């Protein structure tokens, strides 16, 4: 026999009822526990969990008020609010049973019961309990997913004219459904701006779904974006919901859009133009209501000239453009961002708030930040972890080594200072920022290498 009913607890002061029920139900359950004395209920509830509890309504002989039944029902639900309790009531007590349903019982059976009816009632009750558990699980998964995809909007820091312009565009465009194209080098905050647009839009209570187009393979593109039906291809073991569908009602952020091949560009264009998608293996299209935000670090306009990016797709996605300037062009923002990240990482690593020496700030402002804000963020995190003093000194950022323009290397330069600076840079680079090894190679002590690094603002 199957164990469909799981673990059952039966409480009834009539021993005959207990034995008859146990005999009947043990064929359908994993375990049947019987109890004559309701006072044991708290103990039983403390020491086990049950898929379903069968509870008598009237314990003391000749008393049919059901008061005891209500009392024990309350005790059970107190101990386990998700308990599934089926009441056993005498014929004529239906009114009482209905009242118990309002108090939280799942169902009731009338004594004497019909075997099949009892099994069916318990089976439905157990399924109900499992579906409650499933709903709870899904709710928590949904919450986690929402937290993940709608990560709290973090402030965008910046006071430079370029960033003020970005803020003003965000303010103007966020509330509209206009497609937005965000352009900027790696780590300039494109995703942050995309999330800010979503958080300030009318769609903010719906999801923000990000897709890294650079990470999607040619073969999985359609399945990933539009979904597929079970059996549509060999590996399609289950139906899959595409990102367009997940984002329905919210915002879809297509990152690294410049990395899409021409055939995929046209598939994407068709979906955007028609505002509908068709799952692989389905012949029905589905309307999609999304706000589209795209981003790239690639020169899309040049790519259009070189015929590597479709002009019609560019004009679909660039209703409004946001240009995020590289960090090296936002000197003042370097100060603000540095102070911000110092605070963030001192808090994170439970260190006293560190100061930043003005020579350090100068060094950070002089550096070219090829990885932009992401690189600054990581540099500060690293310095906070490693530094021992209360003030961050230029040495705490010894690993920031300016890459030389290869064009300059061939040009002859006899300026002694420049030559020294370049040789030092090459040595530090060669040893991946290891000052001891670089000093050894240069024939200097560590202290004098540090002095020279400082002299050159490195
Ligand atoms: N103006 C800013 N203020 C505060 N933090 C910022 C700012 N700009 C970027 N950041 C932080 O820098 C990191 C990189 O930002 P983000 O991922 O948005 O850049 P991106 O341009 O999308 O990068 P990629 O091109 O590599 O995808 C993130 O941790 C982000 O929170």
């Amino acid at each position: 026999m199957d164990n469909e009913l799981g673990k059952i607890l039966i409480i009834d002061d009539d021993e005959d009822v207990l034995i008859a029920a146990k005999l009947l139900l043990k064929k359908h359950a994993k375990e049947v526990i019987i109890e004559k004395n309701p006072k044991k209920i708290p103990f039983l509830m403390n020491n086990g969990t049950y898929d379903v509890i069968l509870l008598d309504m009237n314990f003391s002989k000749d008393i049919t008020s059901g008061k005891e039944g209500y009392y024990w029902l309350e005790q059970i639900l107190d101990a386990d609010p998700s308990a599934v309790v089926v009441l056993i009531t005498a014929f004529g007590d239906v009114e009482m049973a209905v009242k118990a349903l309002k108090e939280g019982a799942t169902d009731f059976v009338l004594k004497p019961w019909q075997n099949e009816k009892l099994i069916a009632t318990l089976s439905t009750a157990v399924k109900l309990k499992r579906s409650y558990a499933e709903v709870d699980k899904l709710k928590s998964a949904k919450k986690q997913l929402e937290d993940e995809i709608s990560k709290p909007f973090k402030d965008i820091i910046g006071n430079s004219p370029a960033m003020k312009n970005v803020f003003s565009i965000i303010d103007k465009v966020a509330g509209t459904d206009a497609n937005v194209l965000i352009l900027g080098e790696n780590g300039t905050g494109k995703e942050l701006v995309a999330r800010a647009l979503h958080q300030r839009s009318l769609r903010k209570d719906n999801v923000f779904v990000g897709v890294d187009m650079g990470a999607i393979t040619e073969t999985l593109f359609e399945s990933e974006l539009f979904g597929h039906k079970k059996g549509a291809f060999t590996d399609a073991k289950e139906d899959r919901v595409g990102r367009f569908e997940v984002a329905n009602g919210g915002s879809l952020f297509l990152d690294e859009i410049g990395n899409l091949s021409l055939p995929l560009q046209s598939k994407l264009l068709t979906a955007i133009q028609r505002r509908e998608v068709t799952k692989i293996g389905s012949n029905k299209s589905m309307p999609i209501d999304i706000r589209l935000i795209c981003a790239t670090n690639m020169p899309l306009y040049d790519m259009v000239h070189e015929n590597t990016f479709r002009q019609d797709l560019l004009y679909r996605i660039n209703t409004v453009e946001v240009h995020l300037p590289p960090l090296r062009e936002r000197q003042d923002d370097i100060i603000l961002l540095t102070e911000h990240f110092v605070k963030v990482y001192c808090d994170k690593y439970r260190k006293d708030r560190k100061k930043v020496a003005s020579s350090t700030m100068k060094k950070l402002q002089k550096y070219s930040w090829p990885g932009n804000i992401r690189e600054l963020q990581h540099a500060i995190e690293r310095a906070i972890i490693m530094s021992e003093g209360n003030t961050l000194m230029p040495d705490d950022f010894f690993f920031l080594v300016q890459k030389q323009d290869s064009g300059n290397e061939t040009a002859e330069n006899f300026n002694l200072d420049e030559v020294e600076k370049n040789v030092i840079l090459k040595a530090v680079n060669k040893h991946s920022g290891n000052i001891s090894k670089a000093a050894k190679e240069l024939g200097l002590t560590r202290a004098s290498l540090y002095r020279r690094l400082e002299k050159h603002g490195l």
Side-chain angles (χ1 to χ4, degrees):
M1 269 290 157
D2 56 55
N3 289 334
E4 183 199 13
L5 299 182
K7 190 169 166 188
I8 305 181
L9 171 64
I10 311 171
I11 308 144
D12 197 312
D13 60 354
D14 185 337
E15 212 149 348
D16 293 341
V17 169
L18 285 178
I19 291 166
K22 183 165 183 174
L23 271 177
L24 170 71
L25 296 175
K26 71 177 187 192
K27 291 182 249 160
H28 303 275
K30 204 153 73 189
E31 193 179 350
V32 181
I33 296 161
I34 51 175
E35 181 52 61
K36 207 172 154 203
N37 181 1
K39 292 194 176 122
K40 295 263 180 70
I41 286 177
F43 171 81
L44 289 163
M45 292 306 292
N46 248 336
N47 288 282
T49 50
Y50 310 94
D51 291 287
V52 59
I53 298 169
L54 206 51
L55 175 71
D56 189 16
M57 279 301 277
N58 298 300
F59 286 95
S60 320
K61 279 213 169 354
D62 302 326
I63 297 180
T64 51
S65 69
K67 266 192 190 144
E68 256 202 297
Y70 294 136
Y71 173 76
W72 291 118
L73 171 66
E74 201 185 324
Q75 297 296 304
I76 292 172
L77 292 175
D78 227 29
D80 175 8
S82 66
V84 171
V85 184
V86 175
L87 301 167
I88 312 171
T89 52
F91 186 73
D93 287 344
V94 175
E95 208 177 309
M96 197 164 80
V98 170
K99 190 175 161 217
L101 290 184
K102 288 191 190 139
E103 314 260 317
T106 303
D107 207 344
F108 63 88
V109 283
L110 294 179
K111 261 196 285 197
W113 60 67
Q114 290 170 306
N115 288 351
E116 267 149 39
K117 177 90 188 358
L118 176 66
I119 293 167
T121 306
L122 294 183
S123 161
T124 311
V126 167
K127 280 188 194 134
L128 193 70
K129 165 143 187 167
R130 288 185 190 144
S131 62
Y132 283 160
E134 193 60 23
V135 169
D136 281 350
K137 211 168 92 191
L138 288 174
K139 269 192 190 153
S140 112
K142 181 170 172 266
K143 169 93 183 53
Q144 277 180 29
L145 200 67
E146 278 173 0
D147 286 353
E148 177 51 30
I149 47 194
S150 304
K151 280 184 195 144
F153 166 55
K154 281 194 263 147
D155 276 339
I156 306 176
I157 293 176
N159 202 16
S160 55
M163 284 311 286
K164 282 188 182 149
N165 185 36
V166 169
F167 295 141
S168 129
I169 299 176
I170 294 177
D171 278 347
K172 279 189 204 139
V173 80
T176 73
D177 251 355
N179 292 343
V180 180
L181 175 63
I182 309 168
L183 299 164
E185 290 180 11
N186 281 333
T188 44
K190 297 186 291 298
E191 182 170 342
L192 200 63
V193 168
R195 285 183 188 275
L197 283 167
H198 174 73
Q199 295 287 343
R200 288 160 190 224
S201 75
L202 300 173
R203 295 168 178 264
K204 70 174 189 308
D205 293 328
N206 290 316
V207 289
F208 172 93
V209 178
V211 193
D212 181 352
M213 305 302 257
I216 296 185
T217 62
E218 197 94 8
T219 40
L220 284 182
F221 175 86
E222 273 179 281
S223 156
E224 194 72 37
L225 289 188
F226 309 143
H228 65 238
K229 300 288 287 178
K230 184 175 170 182
F233 49 88
T234 325
D235 285 335
K237 305 250 182 315
E238 300 290 337
D239 280 4
R240 178 186 188 134
V241 179
R243 304 290 179 101
F244 268 83
E245 194 179 346
V246 176
N248 212 0
S251 306
L252 181 65
F253 174 51
L254 302 182
D255 200 1
E256 311 292 358
I257 195 156
N259 290 11
L260 276 187
S261 68
L262 281 167
L264 298 187
Q265 288 175 28
S266 43
K267 284 181 183 160
L268 180 63
L269 179 64
T270 309
I272 300 173
Q273 269 172 338
R274 296 195 183 147
R275 299 234 151 229
E276 59 181 34
V277 296
T278 309
K279 287 187 174 176
I280 311 174
S282 162
N283 45 20
K284 270 201 284 180
S285 56
M286 190 179 356
I288 293 291
D289 166 29
I290 49 150
R291 201 272 177 84
L292 188 66
I293 307 172
C294 298
T296 185
N297 57 9
M298 312 259 281
L300 286 193
Y301 288 89
D302 295 347
M303 289 170 71
V304 166
H305 280 126
E306 292 157 7
N307 293 325
T308 51
F309 200 84
R310 292 182 64 125
Q311 189 172 43
D312 42 7
L313 179 57
L314 177 61
Y315 290 148
R316 275 279 158 185
I317 61 176
N318 77 344
T319 314
V320 175
E321 280 182 17
V322 177
H323 292 260
L324 284 174
L327 189 55
R328 62 186 163 278
E329 289 171 19
R330 293 146 63 178
Q331 295 287 310
D332 293 347
D333 288 350
I334 293 180
I335 302 176
L336 286 181
L337 284 159
T338 300
E339 281 161 358
H340 167 72
F341 290 130
V342 166
K343 176 181 176 307
V344 167
Y345 290 111
C346 284
D347 290 351
K348 179 171 174 187
Y349 295 109
R350 293 171 201 279
K351 296 201 169 197
D352 288 341
R353 189 72 49 80
K354 291 182 193 286
K355 294 196 191 95
V356 183
S358 60
S359 52
T360 308
M361 207 54 107
K362 273 194 200 118
K363 174 173 177 166
L364 298 181
Q365 284 180 301
K366 222 167 165 189
Y367 182 66
S368 65
W369 300 110
N372 293 293
I373 296 150
R374 185 179 292 110
E375 190 184 0
L376 174 67
Q377 186 176 349
H378 290 163
I380 290 172
E381 181 172 16
R382 187 169 164 186
I384 296 284
I385 294 172
M386 301 305 290
S387 81
E388 281 157 9
N390 293 330
T391 304
L392 293 177
M393 301 306 291
D395 289 358
D396 292 316
F397 293 90
F398 66 86
F399 48 84
L400 294 180
V401 179
Q402 212 84 257
K403 291 249 176 348
Q404 290 302 292
D405 195 350
S406 54
N408 284 347
E409 271 177 52
T410 50
E412 283 200 285
N413 184 350
F414 295 109
N415 179 304
L416 211 51
D417 242 17
E418 287 291 309
V419 172
E420 180 181 86
K421 183 176 173 184
N422 286 339
V423 171
I424 289 174
L425 275 175
K426 277 188 186 156
V428 176
N429 261 337
K430 181 175 166 191
H431 295 287
S432 313
N434 185 319
I435 296 297
S436 301
K437 287 186 183 165
K440 197 165 171 206
E441 172 129 18
L442 290 163
L444 297 172
T445 61
R446 274 166 53 87
S448 67
L449 175 53
Y450 273 127
R451 266 199 309 279
R452 284 178 165 79
L453 284 170
E454 194 162 0
K455 178 178 106 186
H456 293 296
L458 295 171

